[in-house]
Amino acid sequence: MESIKSLYKKLWMSLIRPRRTPYTESDLGGAVLIFEHGYALRMDFQLANALGEQFYVSVYFPCDASEQVSKQLDFVVYCHTHNGCRVEGLGLLEALVSKGIGLVLFDFRASGFSTGEYVTLGWLEALDINAVCTLLKREVRAASVALWGRSMGACAAIFFLSPAYRKQM
C-alpha cells in the first residue's frame, strides 16, 4: 500500500504538472474554415512569454467568401482550463465569426504544444496572455480585445488585468 507521503506527492504533482491534452494541428481546422454564416482564415504563430517559454497561438480572422479580412476587428482571446489546450475554445468559433469577431486560441505554458514544465494555476500564465495581447495590438491591430477564461484561464485573465500584477510585469 502506498504511503500517505507518496499519495500527497502524486496529488500536488497532478496540480502543477497535469497531463497534457493530446491533439493534432488538423484538430484546429484548415487554413480557411467555412461555416453556415461566415468564413474564417486561420493563422498560427509561435510566441515567447517574458520567461522565454515558447507557446503556440492560432488566430481566426472572420472574412468574406473571397477571403478578405476587415482592417479593424474585435477579438476574443480564449484562455483554457488547467488540463486544457487551444482546441478547447473551438466551440466559440462559429458564433464569433458569424458576428465578425475574431478568435484567438493558444496553449498556456506547460500545456498543449508549449514549453514549460509546471502550471502555476494562472500566475505565470498571465505572461502568456500579455504576449498574445501584445501581438494583437502591434501586429494584428485589433480594435478591441476581450478575454474569455475558464477555470485556470479565468484566474490568469484576472491576474493579467490586475493593476498590482501588471506593476510586476
Side-chain angles (χ1 to χ4, degrees):
M1 184 144 115
E2 287 188 84
S3 70
I4 290 180
K5 193 173 188 177
S6 172
L7 289 172
Y8 177 73
K9 182 178 179 181
K10 283 183 179 181
L11 174 65
W12 68 261
M13 286 298 285
S14 72
L15 290 175
I16 65 169
R17 290 186 77 178
R19 192 173 60 182
R20 293 181 189 237
T21 303
Y23 70 94
T24 64
E25 193 171 315
S26 64
D27 292 330
L28 299 167
V32 178
L33 294 98
I34 303 170
F35 300 106
E36 186 176 345
H37 299 289
Y39 300 84
L41 291 176
R42 184 184 114 213
M43 292 183 68
D44 294 333
F45 300 90
Q46 185 174 355
L47 296 178
N49 64 21
L51 300 174
E53 297 166 321
Q54 302 294 308
F55 65 100
Y56 294 86
V57 181
S58 294
V59 180
Y60 296 86
F61 297 89
C63 63
D64 59 22
S66 63
E67 300 178 17
Q68 294 297 312
V69 176
S70 297
K71 291 184 180 172
Q72 285 284 316
L73 289 172
D74 299 318
F75 285 88
V76 170
V77 175
Y78 180 80
C79 304
H80 67 73
T81 60
H82 175 257
N83 282 44
C85 63
R86 59 186 160 157
V87 174
E88 190 177 288
L90 283 173
L92 302 171
L93 184 57
E94 185 172 3
L96 292 172
V97 165
S98 70
K99 298 197 179 337
I101 300 170
L103 177 63
V104 180
L105 305 175
F106 67 99
D107 290 332
F108 277 122
R109 58 184 306 282
S111 300
F113 294 153
S114 297
T115 63
E117 194 171 345
Y118 299 104
V119 170
T120 61
L121 303 177
W123 185 252
L124 293 177
E125 288 76 12
L127 297 173
D128 299 344
I129 296 172
N130 185 57
V132 169
C133 289
T134 300
L135 170 79
L136 288 174
K137 289 178 194 173
R138 291 186 184 161
E139 304 299 325
V140 178
R141 307 254 192 258
S144 66
V145 177
L147 300 178
W148 182 321
R150 286 186 55 224
S151 185
M152 179 187 78
C155 292
I158 290 168
F159 287 138
F160 170 72
L161 294 171
S162 164
Y165 184 90
R166 294 186 62 77
K167 278 184 185 178
Q168 297 177 18
M169 292 176 74

